[in-house]
Amino acid sequence: MMSSGIGVFRAGVALLVMCGFSKSAEDALPELSPEQYFSTLQPGKASLAYFCQVGSPSNSVFLEELKEAVRPLQDHGISVSKVNCVQEEASRYCGKEEGLMKAYLFRGSILLREFPTDTLFDVDAIVAHVLFALLFNEVKYVTILEDLHNIENSLKGKANMIFSYVEAIGTPEHRAVMEAAFVYGTSYQFALTTEVALLEDIGSEDIGRAHLYFCHCELALDLTERCRRTLMEQPLTTLNIHIFVKTMKAPLLMEVAEDPQQVSTIHLQLGLPLVFIISQQATYEADRRTAEWVAWRLLGKAGVLLLSRDSMDMNIPQHANVAFRRAEKEVPVEFLSLNDADLIVSHVKNNMHIEEIQEDEDGDEEGPDLAIQDDEVAETVYRDRKRRLPLELTVELTQETFNSTVMTSDSIVFFYATWHAVSMAFLQSYIDVAIKLKGTSTILLTRINCADWSDVCTKQNVTAFPAVKLYKEGESPVSYAGMLGTKDLLKFIQINRISCPVNIASIQEAEKYLHGELYKDLFSFTSVSVLGLFSPAMISAKEHFREAGKQLRGSVVTGVYSEDDVWILSNKYGAPLPAMLLARPREGRIESVPLASTSMQDMAQILANAPLEAFPEIMVENLPAYLRLQRPLLILFSDGSINPQYRNIVLALMRQKQLDSFTPCWLNLKNTPVGRGILKAYFGFLPPLPQLLLVNLHSGGQVYAFPSSQSITEQNLRLWLRKLGSGLENPITTLSAQEWKPPLPAFDFLSMMDAPMSQPPTKKVLECMKEKGVQESAEQPQGAPLTTRRGPAEVLRIKHWNKSNWPKEAEESSQHHKEL
Amino acid sequence: MGPSGLLLALGLHLAVCSRPHRDYCVLGAGPAGLQMAALLQRAGRDYEVFERESVPGSFFTRYPRHRKLISINKRYTGKANSEFNLRHDWNSLLSDDPHLLFRHYSQAYFPDASDMVHYLGDFAKRLGLHVLYNTNITHVTLDKDPQAWNGHYFILTDQNGQAYRCSVLLVATGLSVPKLVDFPGSEHVEGYESVSVDPKDFVGQNVLILGRGNSAFETAENILGVTNFVHMLSRSRVRLSWATHYVGDVRAINNGLLDTYQLKSLDGLLESDLEYLALVKDSKGKFHITLKFFLEENNSSQSVDSIPLPEDDNDNFAMRVAYDRVIRCLGWKFDFSIFNQSLRLSSGTEFSKKYPLIRASYESKGSRGLFILGTASHSVDYRKSAGGFIHGFRYTVRAVHRLLEHRHHGIDWPSTEYPITQLTSSIIRRVNEASGLYQMFSVLADIILLKENATAFEYLEEFPMQMLAQLESLTGRTARHGLFIINMEYGKNFSGPEKDVFYYDRSVAHIEDAWRSNFLHPVIYYYRHLPTEQDMRFRPAQWPLPRPVAIHHIVEDFLTDWTAPVGHILPLRRFLENCLDTDLRSFYAESCFLFTLTRQKLPPFCQQGYLKMQGLSSTKSLWQHGVESRLLQDYTAMEDSSSRLGDHPSAPGSLTQTLDSNKEEL
């Protein structure tokens, strides 16, 4: 029958497709008379014929495409001819007027289908249409989900299905699917749709492109069980489908007991890596389950094997549980220690990613567009330039008004330059402060544009923008040194309403001060107030304390009590004089710090660290303050408020001095959504929460994850920390130590100037100019200054940035640097 | 030794004591002398200005003869920035006193010269400058003394024989001697300095003017309407200021004669070398032009009428008509006469003979400690920049003062230190407002000295760029880690006396064509090491500086406003980044937070801002723009992708749990 007739050719076709598809076949299109043509028809053999009248204008574009289709159709055992009808000949294919515009597909002498030439618009369309017609029974066309389920149900327990969606009939993707169907049509059921709704129904994403799924219906033994589907992620080309189907045919999991370097599977031949899950007798069952799970996740992307450690005398590192072998012969097997199956998957995916990027470099002749803004501040300020800010809430100063204003009223002056993006971004926060303080502040909010009044700013010692200064009558101006944002600036302004330091007059007042009753409204901005205790004779210590307090003016509330009865407080809080009391009214805690022979700098340091909490919620604003402690961060990532139980565990461990070498903290993803970006960078995906991590930022950059299989208990945590201490734990990732390089090259004006003047201006780029001998990691652009030729590594870097999506880039490159 | 010897010694001693000593002596109370005096005064230095007349700026009491200054007095620019406004103020001197701006002294765009006299008088008075008026220094000599700052003192003697001893001599006497020509008959020529300025004296006359500069055109302009015709004769072709960008060439305000010449209204321009000419006065008192060698061929005793004239052989000789008057307007030269030979103050090369020979630091090549200021110092940038004019030399005088402050008082060249994150904006700020860079383009340049590892830099303003090789010794600053030089330049092939500067497509608008910019635009040079003397000497022709490692042109701007985020700032940042091999972008605190926890290294902006608890918060509206532009990521939206993961064939959550418990034993 017909299907067996085609089958004869199938075996050979696969090879041809593999080896010969890129050759542009310029085979001759046989030109026959109708008589000749019909005499050559063999039973069961398919042929495509285009009938046209001799002498009449022929469709030359179509003929060109048809000529190109000769070779690929012949590969599928289909002959192609042009049939020249002479006027008097009365073949029915010649006779019709519209016959001039049609091609006919015959099997033997039976007409299967006629095609208007405009449906056969190019070689892909010709091949796709012809094969689609011939494989009518083998490729089921479906339009609704029910059709698909019906086919699946009929196959369950018997066979597998290849289901694909193409945007239209006759596209290159359609051709690729039909060619695959031609080869594999007897092994698998094929289903095809052009309905995008159907694709949506089965939950596909990125529906803008063609899809191909392998549906593992053979495994579904029972009608209620759904067929597992594997999506092919590569673009739909004949070669990719072939590779994909081959990997589907390969066993899901193989067990080997030989050197991973010697193992050979179909995957390597197809250019895919191998993942070995290293197993031993004792854990065989569990390992096999892990391996199967990984194998499913990596199906079509890598081969997964279970490697038995017991039966081998080869040296697999003791800690390793996974081996990774790239398809390239020369790359040695990589031994990894991954304590999470997801990490195996992400490792493979990341390592494939590089190849993908490098692949599509070839076509990238065009350099990056240097004129695309990649500075987030400059770009956002520019995009926001047309929005009108309520600037009138602040007083604009000029050369004429500056001195008289700052001398007659307590004023905040905001120094900025209209062309300076960072200034303009901060100006928005400043205006927000003005809105918040509207009608309530005793301090005048002013601003001066240094682009206009440059010498006024210079006279105020402001040469870098933005700057904020507080001018108070009779005092030298105070420069603001906090975050360039609303919150900190508001705090600075509010705290500066009171004098610095506050002179406390009586014991009663001191108690009120320590309990947060004196400046109640300030405690929405600050959690701590500091009181220096000095006997009236301790003049120099008092003076140092005052100076230290002034240095931190606007960020810490400081007070001084130095009356004769100061000993009462000294006794009550166990603070031998001189001393300072750190009061946290919200926590109801008062600590004392002795100040005897403490230098002014040390006092300032103590004051600066006073607001630090024992187990803080880490946020964008406060991280730098905790980093100053130079200790690894022990961070609990929490989706929402922290479970009080965890807090108690950490506090308990702190009391036991277990956490002295760390900075324990937690992160609320609700308040700090960027934490998701951090987790993604650590894991490659978003892990389940809560996650307890140790991040060694200051030495080495290793990140360790508390095993998610264990519950966070005091005991487990203590054990984990002990293991960490003795180096028994492996980091889940190591943070990239990559330097920050120029995101894009610059115009190389020097070589443009060198070029003869007559040449039209050409766009050239200036590469990084590095001193010879100073070469960083292999990923960095190397030497060769001022050349326009770029090595692949450089192109790679440029390519990344060209996507103008730096956060993504940052993650990717940190993943590349994972030392697993 | 007899008593007479003792007496002699005593007498000598007295003579020495009777010479008052000054650390700094300034010759001349013109604009340059007063500018230097103001700077010395502010620095609290021991100085004296010597002025032979009774008022400052006496040159302007007489010149220009027709009283109209051609330096513009632009009173309105639409900008408040006083530094920027100096770019268009060609008459004011530099001071801290906002009242001492020339726009308060004249309403006219081209002000009257007496306003300048008034202004200079006020300048000296308001600042209380030490000027000895009516003191004409007639002789300057050297007195060797190893104790002296420069190994010698300058001894100045005035018209009364009074001597003064100076450690440093600053000569700001301008060009005071009219340039003369010597050819047969030159005695009949009237000089610009004395010729009548009353047009009535020229009614119906044929006038020949020798010279082609502004004084010649100014003279012609004045009499154009009443003469029969005016011819102008000079050695070389007329140079028009708007074609050469040199303010000393003929300015449009004076070029009325060009109009009438080109429109054939009898006036004309001729080119010939004055050296070959001769002037013959005929019996009617009219002047004929002839050639010197005609006179030499014949015996000079011959009568006037028999002297051969060029038109005898060549009947269409251009200057065949007889002239009623011949006026010499050939400019001035420096008065070398008062300087003793020991000072070895010599005149410049053939090209700039009227100027004394000096270095690019304005110090005489002959004697250390002798500086030439003001108009007389123009040999440094003759026909290039504005150093011969008030709006140029006020800056070069300041540069000299800064050099002196370092040399004699240990005060390093003023500089501001910034973190590297301010690099782009410090350059943008200066190119947009600096007047010294703008006026003294290609002479004074800003220098950025990088600190180790390029984490910070020092910014030095308006350094004489030709002295670059000596930068360290002249400024006291160190340049060990690379440097940028910020200069202003016209396009290399743009201007010239014979070029059409209005050609189509003359302006350049594309960033990548910035190097072809024709109009004044900022150019930044990058060197890894300070260029040496040799590098400076063998620099490429037409280049103001040696070939740098990299160069950047900020594309010319019609408004000279170089603040466009993508057109000006972004390409500059890319250039600086690639020179320093770092990332100079600015980031919001949230981005820095992410980098801090996911990378071991931070970009400079995060390191110097965020880590020092000065991160930049974004506002809601900015953040939204950031997400739209895809430069910022919306992390709250990342939740979706995590739930997507759950759709996979097997739920990863449960599986991970079991896997991990297995892993323990692996």
Side-chain angles (χ1 to χ4, degrees), chain A residues 425-589:
Chain A
F426 187 27
L427 178 64
Q428 297 206 354
S429 303
Y430 186 62
I431 298 297
D432 283 348
V433 168
I435 293 169
K436 290 208 166 79
L437 289 178
K438 195 174 170 184
T440 64
S441 179
T442 52
I443 295 179
L444 187 66
L445 297 184
T446 70
R447 65 195 155 85
I448 183 162
N449 180 0
C450 298
D452 283 340
W453 307 105
S454 141
D455 46 351
V456 180
C457 304
T458 310
K459 272 189 199 128
Q460 299 302 315
N461 246 335
V462 174
T463 48
F465 316 117
V468 173
K469 285 190 175 202
L470 169 71
Y471 293 80
K472 266 189 155 179
E473 211 187 329
E475 293 176 32
S476 48
V478 184
S479 293
Y480 172 68
M483 281 273 289
L484 311 183
T486 310
K487 207 163 113 193
D488 270 21
L489 186 58
L490 202 55
K491 173 178 165 187
F492 175 81
I493 293 172
Q494 296 292 28
I495 294 182
N496 268 299
R497 282 185 359 227
I498 58 169
S499 55
C500 175
V502 186
N503 280 314
I504 303 291
S506 65
I507 295 280
Q508 289 73 24
E509 205 186 5
E511 290 290 357
K512 278 171 82 182
Y513 175 82
L514 290 172
H515 292 92
E517 288 152 29
L518 198 53
Y519 297 109
K520 258 203 164 85
D521 49 336
L522 288 186
F523 284 94
S524 55
F525 303 103
T526 177
S527 57
V528 64
S529 54
V530 182
L531 182 64
L533 300 178
F534 306 94
S535 69
M538 295 170 172
I539 291 163
S540 76
K542 210 187 324 183
E543 208 36 59
H544 286 162
F545 180 74
R546 280 178 189 283
E547 273 310 307
K550 284 213 168 96
Q551 279 184 18
L552 288 150
R553 189 179 176 146
S555 60
V556 186
V557 177
T558 51
V560 169
Y561 188 67
S562 178
E563 299 300 317
D564 289 326
D565 55 1
V566 66
W567 58 270
I568 301 176
L569 289 173
S570 165
N571 286 353
K572 179 175 175 189
Y573 295 105
L577 300 179
M580 66 169 110
L581 299 178
L582 309 180
R584 297 174 206 280
R586 258 183 284 173
E587 296 171 42
R589 257 183 337 124

Side-chain angles (χ1 to χ4, degrees), chain A residues 381-391 428 432, chain B residues 619-622 625:
Chain A
V381 167
Y382 183 74
R383 284 179 181 234
D384 205 37
R385 69 195 181 282
K386 288 188 177 153
R387 196 164 61 92
R388 218 190 71 80
L389 292 172
L391 290 172
Q428 297 206 354
D432 283 348
Chain B
T619 62
K620 206 169 170 226
S621 137
L622 291 173
H625 285 298

Side-chain angles (χ1 to χ4, degrees), chain A residues 173 250 302 359 488 508 647 725:
Chain A
E173 290 79 17
E359 254 171 46
D488 270 21
Q508 289 73 24
R647 174 189 292 278

Side-chain angles (χ1 to χ4, degrees), chain B residues 457-640:
Chain B
F457 64 94
E458 274 184 301
Y459 201 106
L460 279 65
E461 296 178 0
E462 294 164 22
F463 181 79
M465 60 195 271
Q466 292 312 315
M467 298 303 289
L468 194 59
Q470 285 87 38
L471 178 111
E472 292 192 330
S473 61
L474 290 178
T475 62
R477 307 284 172 191
T478 49
R480 295 288 147 77
H481 308 287
L483 63 156
F484 291 100
I485 295 174
I486 295 99
N487 188 29
M488 301 283 260
E489 291 175 16
Y490 280 99
K492 290 204 188 333
N493 298 289
F494 178 41
S495 55
E498 289 158 45
K499 295 218 164 113
D500 173 13
V501 288
F502 296 106
Y503 68 88
Y504 185 69
D505 255 5
R506 63 190 175 277
S507 67
V508 168
H510 295 292
I511 305 164
E512 62 267 38
D513 296 337
W515 64 280
R516 293 168 169 259
S517 293
N518 289 319
F519 293 95
L520 198 61
H521 65 282
V523 182
I524 295 118
Y525 295 75
Y526 172 61
Y527 298 94
R528 288 206 187 95
H529 310 285
L530 195 63
T532 62
E533 194 101 42
Q534 193 157 4
D535 294 338
M536 291 298 291
R537 199 171 305 135
F538 298 108
R539 64 182 188 263
Q542 308 286 314
W543 283 58
L545 288 171
R547 190 183 165 86
V549 174
I551 197 167
H552 182 70
H553 290 255
I554 303 183
V555 70
E556 64 186 12
D557 189 80
F558 186 65
L559 301 172
T560 65
D561 177 0
W562 288 284
T563 58
V566 170
H568 301 134
I569 301 177
L570 178 65
L572 173 64
R573 193 196 83 213
R574 298 214 190 287
F575 166 74
L576 298 170
E577 281 171 336
N578 280 279
C579 290
L580 303 178
D581 198 26
T582 188
D583 184 334
L584 293 177
R585 288 176 298 170
S586 42
F587 296 96
Y588 288 112
E590 191 181 63
S591 306
C592 292
F593 179 79
L594 176 77
F595 300 153
T596 307
L597 287 174
T598 54
R599 316 194 36 149
Q600 293 194 48
K601 302 272 166 62
L602 286 183
F605 189 85
C606 293
Q607 217 165 25
Q608 297 182 352
Y610 179 71
L611 268 199
K612 293 183 176 163
M613 294 193 282
Q614 296 176 6
L616 174 67
S617 306
S618 68
T619 62
K620 206 169 170 226
S621 137
L622 291 173
W623 181 82
Q624 273 164 359
H625 285 298
V627 172
E628 280 163 28
S629 65
R630 302 186 63 220
L631 285 167
L632 295 178
Q633 200 179 336
D634 181 1
Y635 292 101
T636 51
M638 263 176 82
E639 248 165 339
D640 302 339

Side-chain angles (χ1 to χ4, degrees), chain B residues 244-307:
Chain B
T244 60
H245 302 301
Y246 174 63
V247 290
D249 285 329
V250 174
R251 301 278 305 285
I253 181 180
N254 276 336
N255 67 9
L257 185 128
L258 297 178
D259 240 26
T260 52
Y261 166 51
Q262 293 291 358
L263 300 174
K264 278 293 175 210
S265 300
L266 297 174
D267 303 312
L269 289 167
L270 297 153
E271 282 105 36
S272 166
D273 198 325
L274 301 183
E275 301 283 307
Y276 305 131
L277 288 188
L279 204 57
V280 181
K281 191 174 184 177
D282 68 15
S283 48
K284 290 177 225 147
K286 299 231 175 190
F287 303 108
H288 293 268
I289 300 293
T290 183
L291 299 175
K292 207 189 259 179
F293 71 88
F294 285 180
L295 295 187
E296 283 156 3
E297 278 175 10
N298 293 276
N299 207 318
S300 54
S301 65
Q302 279 175 313
S303 75
V304 177
D305 297 323
S306 63
I307 291 174

